[in-house]
Amino acid sequence: MQKLQENEKRSYKKKQYWVAPYLKDRPEHSFYHVSIPKLTIEDGVRFHNYFRMSATQMEELLLIVGPLLIKETVIREPIQPKERLAITLRYLASGDSMVSMSYQYLVGVTTVCHIIRETCEAIWNSLYPLVLPPALSEKDWLEIANDFEELSNFAHCIGAIDGKHVTIQYPNNAGSTYYNYKHAHSVVLMAICDAHYVFRFVDIGAYGRRSDGGIFSNSAIGKNFNTNVMNIPKPSAVAGGRILPYCLVGDEAFPLKPYLLRPYPGKNGLTSEQDIFNYRLSRARRFIENTFGILASQWRIYRKPIIASPENVKLMVQATVCLHNWIRKDDIDKNTYVSAGMVDEINPDDPSSSTLIPVAFFTQHLEYMHHHPVPCIIAQTIESVCDHGAESKRRTLIILLYVNIYGLPYQLSYFIHKIFFISFLMTRTNS
């Protein structure tokens, strides 16, 4: 048996040379030594575009991460921490292959692989305590709730939750473990964000075949919410004197919980009040969608399947999440990392009403809406939408809150526009 195992061992050819000849000119011809110094001195905009951060921010990051990237000089001179960081940041920002990075920086492919893995791990270990604290105080939750109420007009919202599938190359001998409903292989990034597009809690690495609700329930975050150890503020009064709890907002993939709101399922058969509730909840939930959009826009490794093992993919996702938070917290008042047009924005022509810039189908059919007026049909009573169960009744109270007390003009406009759009499509179909 032992002889059979020895015969099955992979045979390696003796290396022709220790370092490939074209790699020996790295100090004179690699992109790091030739072009990056010019970018640093001459053009801050292109430097930011290349690394997704300014030269100053990169130096600050190097001070934090650099000590973990230092290698001892034994046989030959090692690659310096700054060059290691540059290779990793460019790989994450461009989504290019490791082979291309090898030719660009004149470093061996295997060396590039090790550098990226070690640097991502160093970024996670260094930044995680700074930008992703394991727990929030009651004061922190209240600040998040105030931001959501100010920016999305949704009271007592302490975060938006969702999952993002990170597409990966099919792992060896994985079967259908990572195969998701989008017909691709993936690991899941489950995250909760605040109203400033900052991740507050993340769970990374779940199998792509699992549902968002199941991942959240089995994660440490979900278990902490279920056992009431998250320091969530106690229910308090809102406008009108009603006592409502503080809760997360999610999509239909999540269950209805005392600390988690979800929309009413389905598109047809909903009452006007239920439809308005879904709309108001989606205005709060859009923050997590925008946050994932920012992450994928800035770190383009998310734009195509990542060619790496699931363990290394997890390290890359951890690194990008930490980098996103670290840059974003310094960027909230500057908006250079989150540029204009990257997220939903308040209409500058009517800021007092908190109306969002119209989505595509509203602008396309706006003229039709103006020339085909119909009466408002919101006339059903709250009793017609009463649900059974504690969580459902709590959701019904929130419907009452947003239809009457917290009712805003734009939600009525949304509902009328929706009716117009449906009637427009029916007219086009019938004709």
Side-chain angles (χ1 to χ4, degrees):
M1 185 66 180
Q2 185 176 359
K3 290 183 178 180
L4 182 62
Q5 290 178 349
E6 290 177 356
N7 293 332
E8 290 179 352
K9 286 184 179 180
R10 183 178 176 182
S11 58
Y12 291 92
K13 291 195 304 181
K14 187 177 180 180
K15 289 185 178 181
Q16 188 175 358
Y17 30 67
W18 185 258
V19 178
Y22 80 97
L23 298 179
K24 294 181 178 180
D25 296 330
R26 180 166 57 87
E28 292 80 22
H29 300 293
S30 76
F31 186 87
Y32 176 79
H33 292 281
V34 175
S35 299
I36 289 182
K38 297 179 182 178
L39 288 179
T40 305
I41 298 173
E42 299 176 4
D43 198 328
V45 176
R46 287 186 172 85
F47 186 96
H48 191 282
N49 177 264
Y50 190 81
F51 287 118
R52 299 299 189 263
M53 62 182 67
S54 66
T56 303
Q57 288 175 323
M58 188 171 177
E59 291 296 332
E60 293 175 359
L61 181 61
L62 184 63
L63 290 176
I64 299 173
V65 179
L68 299 179
L69 302 178
I70 297 175
K71 302 294 181 179
E72 295 182 0
T73 303
V74 180
I75 300 176
R76 60 193 182 279
E77 184 180 356
I79 298 175
Q80 296 302 311
K82 188 173 182 178
E83 187 171 357
R84 290 171 175 269
L85 182 61
I87 292 173
T88 303
L89 291 178
R90 183 54 190 168
Y91 173 77
L92 298 175
S94 66
D96 208 347
S97 68
M98 293 185 184
V99 175
S100 295
M101 299 299 297
S102 170
Y103 287 122
Q104 185 177 3
Y105 285 85
L106 297 182
V107 178
V109 177
T110 304
T111 306
V112 169
C113 180
H114 289 313
I115 286 174
I116 292 173
R117 177 176 54 80
E118 293 171 358
T119 307
C120 286
E121 187 174 6
I123 291 172
W124 171 256
N125 292 334
S126 301
L127 294 184
Y128 175 76
L130 303 176
V131 300
L132 280 170
L136 297 178
S137 65
E138 185 174 331
K139 180 181 177 182
D140 294 330
W141 289 119
L142 290 174
E143 289 178 356
I144 294 174
N146 291 335
D147 290 337
F148 268 102
E149 187 166 1
E150 179 182 351
L151 297 174
S152 68
N153 304 113
F154 201 93
H156 285 199
C157 176
I158 55 174
I161 182 172
D162 202 3
K164 175 179 175 56
H165 286 273
V166 180
T167 308
I168 63 174
Q169 187 184 44
Y170 171 65
N172 294 332
N173 304 318
S176 62
T177 304
Y178 295 93
Y179 194 71
N180 60 36
Y181 70 96
K182 298 180 179 180
H183 308 294
H185 298 272
S186 65
V187 296
V188 178
L189 164 61
M190 179 68 59
I192 299 173
C193 78
D194 62 19
H196 293 293
Y197 312 110
V198 174
F199 292 110
R200 292 294 185 161
F201 295 97
V202 294
D203 181 85
I204 303 169
Y207 297 138
R209 66 179 298 177
R210 301 180 60 191
S211 67
D212 288 348
I215 294 172
F216 177 69
S217 299
N218 294 327
S219 67
I221 307 170
K223 292 176 181 178
N224 289 339
F225 271 102
N226 280 327
T227 53
N228 297 321
V229 296
M230 296 294 286
N231 300 322
I232 298 177
K234 295 181 180 179
S236 61
V238 296
R242 295 185 179 274
I243 306 296
L244 292 177
Y246 290 86
C247 56
L248 304 170
V249 292
D251 58 19
E252 296 179 11
F254 295 92
L256 190 61
K257 296 279 188 178
Y259 55 84
L260 178 58
L261 281 177
R262 54 164 287 174
Y264 284 91
K267 297 181 180 179
N268 301 320
L270 297 180
T271 65
S272 57
E273 288 84 358
Q274 291 173 336
D275 207 11
I276 287 175
F277 169 80
N278 283 0
Y279 170 60
R280 294 293 293 270
L281 184 138
S282 69
R283 283 176 61 91
R285 198 183 65 80
R286 67 185 171 87
F287 284 94
I288 186 62
E289 301 289 356
N290 286 340
T291 305
F292 285 146
I294 295 167
L295 186 72
S297 176
Q298 297 289 9
W299 308 102
R300 308 238 166 161
I301 191 174
Y302 291 100
R303 292 295 183 91
K304 55 187 178 181
I306 302 175
I307 304 176
S309 66
E311 294 77 17
N312 288 344
V313 171
K314 181 178 178 180
L315 289 174
M316 296 172 190
V317 176
Q318 289 174 336
T320 54
V321 167
C322 285
L323 289 170
H324 169 91
N325 275 14
W326 185 73
I327 299 173
R328 179 57 185 157
K329 287 187 175 183
D330 186 52
D331 181 67
I332 290 177
D333 297 326
K334 303 174 185 176
N335 287 331
T336 55
Y337 177 72
V338 181
S339 57
M342 192 176 290
V343 296
D344 296 330
E345 298 175 342
I346 301 298
N347 191 340
D349 297 329
D350 191 12
S352 61
S353 65
S354 298
T355 56
L356 294 176
I357 294 177
V359 295
F361 72 85
F362 280 175
T363 55
Q364 292 171 2
H365 306 295
L366 192 58
E367 183 178 356
Y368 178 85
M369 296 175 186
H370 284 310
H371 293 287
H372 296 76
V374 298
C376 176
I377 63 171
I378 301 179
Q380 299 188 24
T381 61
I382 292 299
E383 286 75 12
S384 65
V385 297
C386 286
D387 298 322
H388 300 287
E391 285 75 25
S392 296
K393 289 181 179 179
R394 187 178 294 110
R395 184 165 58 175
T396 301
L397 291 177
I398 298 177
I399 290 179
L400 177 62
L401 179 71
Y402 289 124
V403 172
N404 292 339
I405 301 172
Y406 273 0
L408 295 174
Y410 65 77
Q411 70 185 29
L412 186 59
S413 301
Y414 156 79
F415 189 66
I416 295 175
H417 287 178
K418 181 179 178 181
I419 296 171
F420 275 124
F421 182 55
I422 293 174
S423 63
F424 173 81
L425 292 180
M426 293 177 64
T427 303
R428 292 290 298 271
T429 302
N430 295 332
S431 60

